[in-house]
Amino acid sequence: MIIVMQQHASDAEISAVVDEIRKAGLQEHVSRGSELVIIGAIGDEDRINPGHFEIMAGVERVTRVTKQYKIVSRDSHPQGSVIKVRGIPIGGEQIQVISGPCSIETQDQMNVAADAVAAAGCRMMRGGAFKPRTSPYAFQGLGVEGLEYFQRAAERHKLPIVTELMDVRMLDTFMEYDVDVIQIGARNMQNFDLLKEVGRVNKPIILKRGLSATVNEWLMAAEYIAAGGNHNIIFCERGIRTFETAYRNVLDVTAIPVLKRETHLPVIVDPSHAGGKAWMVPALAQAAVAAGADGLLVEMHPNPCDAWCDADQALTPDELKSLMVTLGAIAKAVGRSI
Amino acid sequence: MIIVMQQHASDAEISAVVDEIRKAGLQEHVSRGSELVIIGAIGDEDRINPGHFEIMAGVERVTRVTKQYKIVSRDSHPQGSVIKVRGIPIGGEQIQVISGPCSIETQDQMNVAADAVAAAGCRMMRGGAFKPRTSPYAFQGLGVEGLEYFQRAAERHKLPIVTELMDVRMLDTFMEYDVDVIQIGARNMQNFDLLKEVGRVNKPIILKRGLSATVNEWLMAAEYIAAGGNHNIIFCERGIRTFETAYRNVLDVTAIPVLKRETHLPVIVDPSHAGGKAWMVPALAQAAVAAGADGLLVEMHPNPCDAWCDADQALTPDELKSLMVTLGAIAKAVGRSI
Amino acid sequence: MIIVMQQHASDAEISAVVDEIRKAGLQEHVSRGSELVIIGAIGDEDRINPGHFEIMAGVERVTRVTKQYKIVSRDSHPQGSVIKVRGIPIGGEQIQVISGPCSIETQDQMNVAADAVAAAGCRMMRGGAFKPRTSPYAFQGLGVEGLEYFQRAAERHKLPIVTELMDVRMLDTFMEYDVDVIQIGARNMQNFDLLKEVGRVNKPIILKRGLSATVNEWLMAAEYIAAGGNHNIIFCERGIRTFETAYRNVLDVTAIPVLKRETHLPVIVDPSHAGGKAWMVPALAQAAVAAGADGLLVEMHPNPCDAWCDADQALTPDELKSLMVTLGAIAKAVGRSI
Amino acid sequence: MIIVMQQHASDAEISAVVDEIRKAGLQEHVSRGSELVIIGAIGDEDRINPGHFEIMAGVERVTRVTKQYKIVSRDSHPQGSVIKVRGIPIGGEQIQVISGPCSIETQDQMNVAADAVAAAGCRMMRGGAFKPRTSPYAFQGLGVEGLEYFQRAAERHKLPIVTELMDVRMLDTFMEYDVDVIQIGARNMQNFDLLKEVGRVNKPIILKRGLSATVNEWLMAAEYIAAGGNHNIIFCERGIRTFETAYRNVLDVTAIPVLKRETHLPVIVDPSHAGGKAWMVPALAQAAVAAGADGLLVEMHPNPCDAWCDADQALTPDELKSLMVTLGAIAKAVGRSI
């Protein structure tokens, strides 16, 4: 940890800081500059609390130097991790496009959707049984009944299923219904009790980025899951909140190369929620793959006009099919396949 | 709902929209302007999904006109609501300053803190038994044991207690320990299952604003609680996330008059988390009261240097005492008391 | 314009609004809904000021329906515009990569840079003679002397030159030195006097997006230039400011498809300033082309370690060369060439 | 400057950094920690460019430790500066409320406005002759003619005048008309050529904060003015841009105590532009004074309904008068006067 002292900090103030560092079992390293004094605390940073130093007399500011995330850090695992979902690799040379409707509506809708997902060449399917809605009066999802429809429809094509978990109390049900990949939504990225629970199960977790979560907070949220023992974590960038009002969110493509550098875990992108409009999805999906994403989460509905939610952001089966063709060419351009 | 058609939208596209409106049991109202056609959908907006219209051919954009929040809206209750906590009013002429440490550490610390809270003239006490921490390796709070210390310390001064609930599974325990006011933290503002649960109990709820939640989303989160039957909701502004890095958050004082206009429920402010530094707290607390806040949530620790968390943002007992004096004068200036 | 009246607005308040609309020479269109009354003002919106209505008794809110930008709107020119710079098209099937150093340093540096730009297959060159620096004590650019070095170096390869204009008083000098494309920087996007001046010359203008400019404000800034008679405007997305601190800016790829839909003018991207680090540039440049950008502005320095500014974001000549190869393949994947 | 090396950085990489530091004439200070090596560069930081180090092999990140602003820093002038405008102090015990219309319209409007400003007890007047408008088709201000009306009206009450300068070419005219305080608007906060010019004149400058300028960028913009020789700078917080859409800007009250700590110069607040609605102004103005602002810039119009711009944010003369009474009481509560 680095402690920058204020200009004119007294020797007494400096030695008080040094004492605190020693008390914590670390070693101090004092640099007296032309204008100010800088004190380095050498040793296990996790044993000292920056806050304690920030309020000491004469301290200008305190900065950590080591990262707080350990298990998810690339330092702990220099080569990238490949997560297998029923044999399908996420994080390797092959890019995975996970598609399906925003919400599960009927058995029939899910069957047609599953056919379209498979027909487009996607290997995994998404669908929401429990929906986080801004309004308590909006459709909240079919719940368990939806999971049944989903399982039945996906099995016809042996498609592993991805669905969102919102409530810790539903985790057992998810295990029962053998959900293949559990998604933690943006609004729950820092629902720490939920993170701890999914850290105890042996299922891959897609961790969506919070609407205004920094990359560091996101990595720390993953660390919560990893600390519980579950290292099968997939980051999903889904657009961040900014000042711009012309579109729902801003897809943060920069987060892709940055995360790939910081963590060994796979990074996928949800272009559907990022843009909020179906017509934006192809451009955003293409950008994500070109920037190095390991996969995509794309909303597709057999008949968008009849969708029970987010009707305006779902692709049609045909749009998904042609998007897959373009994505294949881009993947090839960046040395990967789809 | 208002549907603005694109320039050059065809008559066929216009009548398709009209048909959709009628199908939903609403009435259309078509205005043909010089440049474009605007269609108003008259009737119960909640019966139509904007998304359905946004993807129809020829539609430029769709706007709701009625508010989605009903129970918490001031329209439903023009005069302000006063929430009583063991007889102490929140939302009336008297401003309530709720103070105490960030986290509960020991019985002794809580006793001294309770003495200081009472001595400063505050009528309610805060303290955290369950702490939402960015790092899984940071102190997570004492849990139930902490609630015991808290209760014991607060009772000596008959101070109602306020503490944060993070996990739906702990709600029964909170009821058992007779927590007076349940706080929902910023990270859980859109933890909809948690909101639904606290909507079923008969306890006042302090609903903190999410780090980047809009006022509208915040009101909708409160509506989740209200829809469950619990109308005793207190909004708490605690600073929002922006581009600024010189301080942790930006206290959004504008939200105070805006909320007071939109809802009949009380609005309090947490200047401690907003600024993140004890030296900023007085200025922010004073600004909040001057802007019309109904109360404050202020962190105070008997000995900040030894605080187990957020040491740098806690006031000392003496600082709290002198702040209360200034706040009293400002309250008087705006026609209230403390 | 649409005026939504408050619930319980009186008939008197409604007719007062109607009178105002008529006074402005527009026609009113009143829709009485179940909950509220909506009034449409039909006619030339530019003749009424929303503010006047917003303060009238009983008015809830006012919304414009027509766009304020006319000349730059795609409505005025449905097919895209192709801007020619000494015969080189921007906005057509061919994507233009404009490269060169952040700042002009020496004749030698510029000569080597020009050779590298041409060798990589780029057709235009960039370089800064006048630098907007956050600090008054930082290198401010070589000024006119720099323009000379730039011209001489670029001419050896017949590369049109792009450079930034900061001060209206330098415009004549830019014309004298026959700068091919004038760049307006992010900090000057709303320097309206500067926009008016470049609207009077007959040179293509690259208009960079302000750090936190909305797409609408950006289009209006272009309208300032266009209103002066100069329609040769090229939008340049260069990253926006958000809460994220892990990288300098967030490249807003969503703005690319959105702008292409809203305006007929070309849209290019500056991945160098967006990321702020050379190692991020390839991923961002690739994302931009995949998302539909018409060109790129990429910083390259013969020897980044010796660059006088932004040393950490410049590519080396070799990095530029190999990036061009990947970009070519992505361009092909999206039906374009480079 | 502090250079944090990557984990596993080699000795060769470390000594390369050390050599660079020495080359720049500074001294290195190497701390070998358990996990990483930290190198301090002791000496004049302005002689080294962080970018050069950030691209060196093995470097994780580089941080400046000294501030880049010198003249405006409180370190250079511990006690606060009081700026006198025709004898009226800004920055002392007395708080100055500068009021007047958004834009100058007619001689009559200005006369009535000046009477109201004086009647309310304000000692300075504001008014816009040159208006920065988002649309080129909106009223751009009366220009020089407006300055004449303004001077004549204000003189009747000996009120010093404050007006905005947008174009360097108009500076002489401003001097001619003897404008008392020159305002630099938010959109021009980083119009460096304009800052340099006003740095050469002997007039107080009100420097508005850019819509998304950090406190540090704002201080650096002031340093541009100060570096030219003009130290009479007044910071004006006018609301920042965030994700919130319920109001135009978010008034950043936290910036007040932070700036007062960082700089010796006065800090005032513009509650009118921050909120964008007249009904929000009192709450924001009160918050600003309670938080320690040295003054306010408040829009007032003799007849808001007829205002040529921002009609919805101007107070009436009566509203200004009663606001002054409340502000007086709050000023007293925080140990100041009005």
Side-chain angles (χ1 to χ4, degrees), chain B residues 15 17 22 25 27 41 46 54 60 112 134 147 156 171 182 188 200 215 218 224 227 278 291 318:
Chain B
S15 33
V17 168
R22 291 179 181 168
Q27 231 190 315
D46 297 325
E54 272 168 352
E60 172 81 28
V112 182
T134 306
L147 292 180
R156 295 163 55 251
L171 183 52
I182 298 172
N188 282 314
R200 298 202 181 89
V215 165
W218 196 8
Y224 257 96
D318 287 348

Side-chain angles (χ1 to χ4, degrees), chain D:
Chain D
M1 194 151 68
I2 293 160
I3 295 140
V4 177
M5 302 298 291
Q6 291 163 0
Q7 275 193 329
H8 329 300
S10 71
D11 289 351
E13 291 168 338
I14 293 166
S15 33
V17 169
V18 168
D19 293 346
E20 270 299 304
I21 292 172
R22 292 180 181 169
K23 249 193 261 154
L26 282 80
Q27 229 189 320
E28 81 280 4
H29 208 299
V30 183
S31 313
R32 292 179 184 282
S34 52
E35 289 184 51
L36 8 97
V37 170
I38 298 158
I39 304 173
I42 314 302
D44 177 3
E45 271 195 337
D46 298 325
R47 289 166 56 184
I48 41 180
N49 177 343
H52 284 184
F53 290 89
E54 272 166 352
I55 50 173
M56 292 184 74
V59 172
E60 173 81 27
R61 69 172 179 285
V62 181
T63 326
R64 275 186 67 97
V65 290
T66 56
K67 293 164 182 168
Q68 284 179 284
Y69 44 92
K70 312 285 181 195
I71 307 171
V72 304
S73 171
R74 191 170 272 276
D75 292 338
S76 77
H77 193 289
Q79 67 282 34
S81 294
V82 176
I83 293 170
K84 288 277 181 72
V85 182
R86 288 216 251 146
I88 299 163
I90 300 183
E93 173 273 344
Q94 190 184 61
I95 292 166
Q96 302 303 338
V97 179
I98 306 164
S99 191
C102 172
S103 68
I104 297 161
E105 297 161 7
T106 66
Q107 184 65 69
D108 195 51
Q109 166 236 21
M110 291 305 283
N111 290 343
V112 182
D115 298 347
V117 168
C122 302
R123 298 177 201 84
M124 298 176 69
M125 185 171 179
R126 59 147 290 150
F130 299 88
K131 305 297 306 170
R133 305 303 299 275
T134 306
S135 167
Y137 310 120
F139 172 56
Q140 310 273 314
L142 289 185
V144 177
E145 186 189 355
L147 292 180
E148 273 168 28
Y149 297 160
F150 195 2
Q151 271 298 10
R152 235 178 271 127
E155 260 327 296
R156 295 162 56 248
H157 297 279
K158 301 262 166 292
L159 296 165
I161 65 171
V162 178
T163 194
E164 178 169 355
L165 175 69
M166 291 169 62
D167 184 343
V168 283
R169 297 167 301 185
M170 290 304 301
L171 183 53
D172 295 344
T173 312
F174 271 52
M175 299 305 283
E176 228 169 82
Y177 281 85
D178 196 34
V179 168
D180 299 288
V181 179
I182 298 173
Q183 176 179 314
I184 300 297
R187 290 172 186 72
N188 283 314
M189 190 200 88
Q190 289 190 314
N191 179 340
F192 300 119
D193 293 289
L194 185 58
L195 298 179
K196 286 174 183 171
E197 287 303 326
V198 297
R200 298 203 182 90
V201 300
N202 183 20
K203 290 278 186 191
I205 308 297
I206 285 179
L207 180 64
K208 285 198 156 189
R209 180 183 191 175
L211 268 75
S212 67
T214 61
V215 165
N216 188 66
E217 290 170 329
W218 196 7
L219 286 159
M220 291 308 295
E223 189 79 8
Y224 257 95
I225 300 171
N230 184 355
H231 297 189
N232 297 314
I233 306 161
I234 298 153
F235 289 86
C236 181
E237 158 66 26
R238 42 82 68 211
I240 57 172
R241 177 159 284 180
T242 73
F243 59 83
E244 180 57 74
T245 54
Y247 21 94
R248 190 165 55 189
N249 297 117
V250 165
L251 177 65
D252 181 6
V253 282
T254 312
I256 302 169
V258 171
L259 268 179
K260 296 298 289 179
R261 188 184 172 103
E262 286 301 308
T263 178
H264 54 88
L265 295 164
V267 179
I268 67 173
V269 169
D270 176 345
S272 306
H273 284 85
K277 299 284 168 220
W279 65 265
M280 300 178 184
V281 171
L284 301 182
Q286 292 162 21
V289 170
D294 296 308
L296 298 172
L297 210 52
V298 179
E299 288 196 4
M300 178 274 302
H301 192 285
N303 186 356
C305 300
D306 299 339
W308 296 3
C309 81
D310 288 344
D312 48 329
Q313 77 188 32
L315 295 184
T316 62
D318 287 348
E319 289 168 337
L320 176 64
K321 207 177 254 171
S322 61
L323 174 59
M324 286 296 281
V325 176
T326 311
L327 293 178
I330 294 174
K332 197 153 164 301
V334 295
R336 301 180 75 170
S337 71
I338 214 150

Side-chain angles (χ1 to χ4, degrees), chain A residues 209 212-215 241 243-244 247 250-252 254-255 257-258 261 279-280 283-284 286-287 290-291 326 329-330 333-334, chain C residues 209 212-215 241-244 247 250-252 254-255 257-258 261 279-280 283-284 286-287 290-291 326 329-330 333-334:
Chain A
R209 180 183 190 174
S212 68
T214 61
V215 165
R241 176 160 283 180
F243 59 83
E244 180 58 75
Y247 20 95
V250 166
L251 177 64
D252 181 6
T254 313
V258 171
R261 189 183 169 104
W279 66 266
M280 299 177 184
L284 301 182
Q286 293 162 20
T326 312
I330 293 173
V334 294
Chain C
R209 181 184 190 174
S212 68
T214 62
V215 165
R241 175 158 285 179
T242 73
F243 59 83
E244 181 56 68
Y247 20 95
V250 166
L251 176 65
D252 181 6
T254 312
V258 171
R261 187 184 171 104
W279 64 267
M280 298 177 185
L284 300 182
Q286 292 162 20
T326 312
I330 293 173
V334 294

